[in-house]
Amino acid sequence: MYVVGIDGGGTKTSIALFDITGKYYGTQIESYPSCLDSKSFEKTNPQLEKSIIKLIPPHSEEEIVLSSIFLGLGGIASTKDALFVESLVKTWKICKESTQIHAKNDIYCAHAAGLRGKTGMCFIIGTGSVGFGVDETGNEHRVGGYSPMEGDPGSSYHLGRMLLKALAKALDLRRSYSPLLTAVQQHLHIHGYTDYVNMINTISREETAQLAQLVTQYADVGDKFAVKLIERATDEITLMFHTIYQTLEIHNKQIAIVGSLGNAKSKYKEILYQKVKAIDANYEIFPTQLDPAIGSAILAFKHLQNENYQNFLPHAERK
């Protein structure tokens, strides 16, 4: 009898396997996407079952039974989406009538991984941004994470967009240059109007987000404009925190951070921590140590009202 957690992203899928006693067998990373926005789940569904069977120790296929599975998938935006995924997973040979099958957006597995199944808050601060909190009575609240078109405030993408907008103003003399703006102009090989237009119309979300590295690099050596951009970005994450803080009554004052921008040792992290602790100094802030697929497995265990996984979590920590 096995318990499975799945974290489905836009480029890869992570699958964590436990048995019903809580023994951890490992996490397998597959190179196919399972985010609903990236690929039809009808195509992903058979791939997932094959991947799970491959991860399970040698058995005849008839002997493999899943007790519980939780799928945290990007792109699940409604109950209808979740029910659709669950209905297809029910068709697997390794799922029986008694198998607990649950699917939700991937912020749920990120939260469970970051806080090891406890209450509190989780923030994803990487290419994009989103915040999620759960209190002791089971109430939950999500902020942000709508779409890159909304701007992903506080994220690497947001920092990159602000930098590119400022570069346009420097090019036509609406503002003065700073060392950071000179650096990004050289980095992107922008020599004038035409170069900028070609760049801004073709640059990808990921390429824009990578510019955040320049912002944090220059902020760390005191570039005033870089620090100003970081102040704006961290204001957005602080607003997310304050919104959850006021909406829910969370007694476990912990915040798990997922994502390179939120966890890298930099001016961004320093300023963000200061702003959060100015609201409530009792909050402990830390990077998540578990793969989100482990978070999905934790939620799969919870649906069985089984806490056996807790003794084995140290073995599942990222090295």
Side-chain angles (χ1 to χ4, degrees):
M1 302 285 278
Y2 296 96
V3 175
V4 172
I6 294 175
D7 171 46
T11 58
K12 62 183 178 66
T13 299
S14 297
I15 303 169
L17 178 69
F18 291 76
D19 69 20
I20 199 69
T21 70
K23 181 179 179 180
Y24 175 57
Y25 286 89
T27 299
Q28 178 73 29
I29 298 176
E30 300 286 1
S31 59
Y32 56 81
S34 49
C35 169
L36 270 59
D37 294 331
S38 302
K39 184 178 178 181
S40 164
F41 194 74
E42 288 99 329
K43 294 181 179 179
T44 306
N45 190 50
Q47 289 180 292
L48 285 174
E49 183 176 21
K50 288 178 182 177
S51 295
I52 292 168
I53 292 171
K54 185 173 63 177
L55 188 57
I56 290 173
H59 284 281
S60 68
E61 197 167 313
E62 291 73 22
E63 294 174 333
I64 299 173
V65 178
L66 299 189
S67 292
S68 183
I69 179 170
F70 187 97
L71 302 94
L73 306 182
I76 291 184
S78 65
T79 301
K80 181 180 178 182
D81 291 338
L83 290 174
F84 172 68
V85 169
E86 291 167 7
S87 69
L88 290 182
V89 174
K90 283 179 183 177
T91 65
W92 294 358
K93 292 179 181 178
I94 57 176
C95 287
K96 307 303 178 186
E97 193 68 32
S98 60
T99 303
Q100 291 280 334
I101 303 170
H102 298 274
K104 284 194 174 183
N105 185 272
D106 55 356
I107 187 60
Y108 284 83
C109 58
H111 183 279
L115 295 160
R116 298 172 182 251
K118 296 183 290 185
T119 59
M121 299 189 206
C122 176
F123 291 89
I124 297 175
I125 314 173
T127 299
S129 63
V130 61
F132 186 65
V134 179
D135 68 18
E136 283 71 16
T137 58
N139 295 315
E140 56 190 47
H141 190 69
R142 172 178 173 156
V143 287
Y146 293 101
S147 161
M149 296 300 291
E150 185 261 344
D152 279 326
S155 68
S156 292
Y157 177 71
H158 180 213
L159 278 176
R161 287 292 297 172
M162 288 193 291
L163 182 57
L164 291 176
K165 288 179 180 180
L167 177 59
K169 291 182 177 180
L171 281 169
D172 62 21
L173 307 181
R174 282 178 287 166
R175 62 153 295 140
S176 60
Y177 274 90
S178 74
L180 171 60
L181 286 171
T182 300
V184 73
Q185 182 174 356
Q186 293 172 348
H187 175 75
L188 295 172
H189 307 291
I190 304 297
H191 303 292
Y193 177 87
T194 302
D195 289 338
Y196 184 91
V197 170
N198 290 335
M199 176 276 298
I200 203 68
N201 286 328
T202 57
I203 192 168
S204 69
R205 181 187 182 218
E206 289 71 24
E207 290 169 330
T208 302
Q210 287 170 6
L211 297 176
Q213 295 177 19
L214 276 176
V215 180
T216 56
Q217 176 187 335
Y218 274 78
D220 288 345
V221 295
D223 184 289
K224 291 182 179 179
F225 179 60
V227 173
K228 186 176 181 180
L229 293 183
I230 285 176
E231 289 283 0
R232 291 177 187 169
T234 52
D235 278 347
E236 294 289 351
I237 302 297
T238 306
L239 177 60
M240 290 182 178
F241 165 74
H242 194 249
T243 301
I244 298 173
Y245 184 79
Q246 289 189 313
T247 303
L248 302 177
E249 292 187 19
I250 300 175
H251 301 298
N252 181 41
K253 294 182 180 294
Q254 290 187 318
I255 299 173
I257 304 290
V258 181
S260 56
L261 180 61
N263 284 317
K265 186 178 180 181
S266 68
K267 199 73 175 174
Y268 184 103
K269 179 179 177 179
E270 176 188 329
I271 292 173
L272 177 62
Y273 278 39
Q274 288 172 352
K275 289 178 178 179
V276 168
K277 287 184 174 291
I279 295 171
D280 191 329
N282 293 316
Y283 263 90
E284 178 189 4
I285 312 170
F286 50 84
T288 183
Q289 295 297 319
L290 298 175
D291 189 284
I294 301 292
S296 281
I298 290 171
L299 295 172
F301 271 104
K302 282 180 171 289
H303 282 292
L304 294 173
Q305 298 183 325
N306 181 330
E307 301 291 323
N308 286 338
Y309 65 87
Q310 292 188 0
N311 294 331
F312 295 89
L313 288 183
H315 302 291
E317 289 183 359
R318 290 169 171 160
K319 304 301 182 185

